[in-house]
Amino acid sequence: MKKQSILGIMLSCAVLGACYLTKPQIVTAAPASIFTPILRDIKNQIPRGWVMRLPSSVNLSNTKLYPQVITNSPREFAIWLNSRPNCMDRSCQFGVIAVAKDSEYADNLRSKHIFSKTYMQRVKAIRQRNSQTWTESETKLLISSDMVVLERTPITLKPGIQGVFIVQNGGGASTPPSLHVFWKQDGLNYRATIKGGFDYERSVVIQSQKSALINLAVSMAKESPIKSAN
């Protein structure tokens, strides 16, 4: 009996040991390392009762990006992704990730009429001509094409979280086109935005930039929320 008991204990230990060794390891993702220097600022400056989500990776550009907390708008908590450190000028702003309680900007883009590819080709043809040859109706078409929605596509960021991908036309040389992903989560409105992403020559979205932005938004939606320290 004693030998059987010892043998039973040895077998149990062997099984438990095997279970321990083969037990899958749980890996918790963390915000991308570029956000490490500003994590404390985010926790201290995000409005009380709000949360922020940061992606675990940022693969938007071959250029190094520098995140910076921007709090000039009381209705939105934003992190600019800049091409230069400590830059407050929009000329160096490459992208934005943000959270807001209410977002008229997002609601407006969700409801705007979509400016068709045919109209964009007409706009392109008009701009290629001398401005002195533009008719009144052509001038109105050029004006109406500023900041319009060129594409709006529903997307799924994670089970139960739906978003929308939107392409917005620029507003002249100083305002390039932009790509957006908007979604609602935690009772808040999130957005991820990058400048550019639209090929005017072919009147199409640059697919690599579209995929990169959607992947970033998916990562944000899946990450654990960062709470206010206040």
Side-chain angles (χ1 to χ4, degrees):
M1 293 292 291
K2 184 177 291 186
K3 289 183 178 179
Q4 289 180 347
S5 299
I6 294 173
L7 180 60
I9 292 172
M10 291 176 65
L11 287 172
S12 298
C13 289
V15 172
L16 289 173
C19 291
Y20 175 77
L21 291 173
T22 58
K23 183 179 179 181
Q25 299 298 306
I26 298 174
V27 178
T28 302
S33 58
I34 69 169
F35 298 109
T36 301
I38 64 168
L39 282 177
R40 180 176 294 180
D41 290 339
I42 293 172
K43 293 178 181 179
N44 289 338
Q45 296 185 51
I46 191 169
R48 181 180 298 178
W50 293 24
V51 296
M52 183 62 182
R53 291 174 178 271
L54 300 176
S56 58
S57 61
V58 179
N59 299 309
L60 297 175
S61 170
N62 293 326
T63 302
K64 184 176 181 180
L65 297 177
Y66 302 87
Q68 185 170 346
V69 175
I70 302 295
T71 57
N72 9 8
S73 172
R75 305 184 67 177
E76 181 179 68
F77 180 81
I79 297 173
W80 285 10
L81 302 174
N82 295 335
S83 57
R84 300 195 307 271
N86 302 317
C87 179
M88 295 297 293
D89 190 342
R90 290 186 179 272
S91 64
C92 64
Q93 182 194 92
F94 179 83
V96 179
I97 56 176
V99 62
K101 197 73 173 177
D102 301 300
S103 180
E104 292 181 6
Y105 180 52
D107 292 342
N108 182 40
L109 290 183
R110 287 174 187 270
S111 61
K112 262 190 175 183
H113 174 73
I114 297 177
F115 207 75
S116 72
K117 185 175 181 179
T118 301
Y119 275 102
M120 283 305 298
Q121 290 172 339
R122 285 183 59 191
V123 167
K124 176 185 173 184
I126 294 169
R127 290 191 185 282
Q128 288 176 338
R129 295 184 359 233
N130 188 309
S131 60
Q132 295 181 351
T133 67
W134 296 349
T135 65
E136 183 178 350
S137 62
E138 288 175 334
T139 302
K140 288 181 178 179
L141 178 61
L142 292 178
I143 295 173
S144 68
S145 70
D146 287 350
M147 308 305 291
V148 295
V149 170
L150 305 176
E151 178 187 333
R152 185 166 53 240
T153 306
I155 57 175
T156 299
L157 300 178
K158 61 179 288 188
I161 301 296
Q162 303 299 312
V164 59
F165 169 78
I166 292 177
V167 182
Q168 186 178 22
N169 191 31
S174 61
T175 309
S178 53
L179 309 183
H180 309 273
V181 176
F182 298 101
W183 73 100
K184 294 185 179 182
Q185 192 174 3
D186 313 310
L188 298 165
N189 294 272
Y190 290 91
R191 77 174 171 108
T193 296
I194 58 173
K195 288 184 177 179
F198 189 78
D199 185 340
Y200 277 119
E201 290 300 316
R202 297 182 297 149
S203 297
V204 295
V205 178
I206 300 173
Q207 290 300 315
S208 60
Q209 294 191 32
K210 176 180 179 178
S211 297
L213 180 64
I214 291 177
N215 288 339
L216 180 138
V218 167
S219 180
M220 287 177 63
K222 291 181 176 180
E223 280 297 296
S224 299
I226 296 174
K227 298 180 180 179
S228 170
N230 300 316

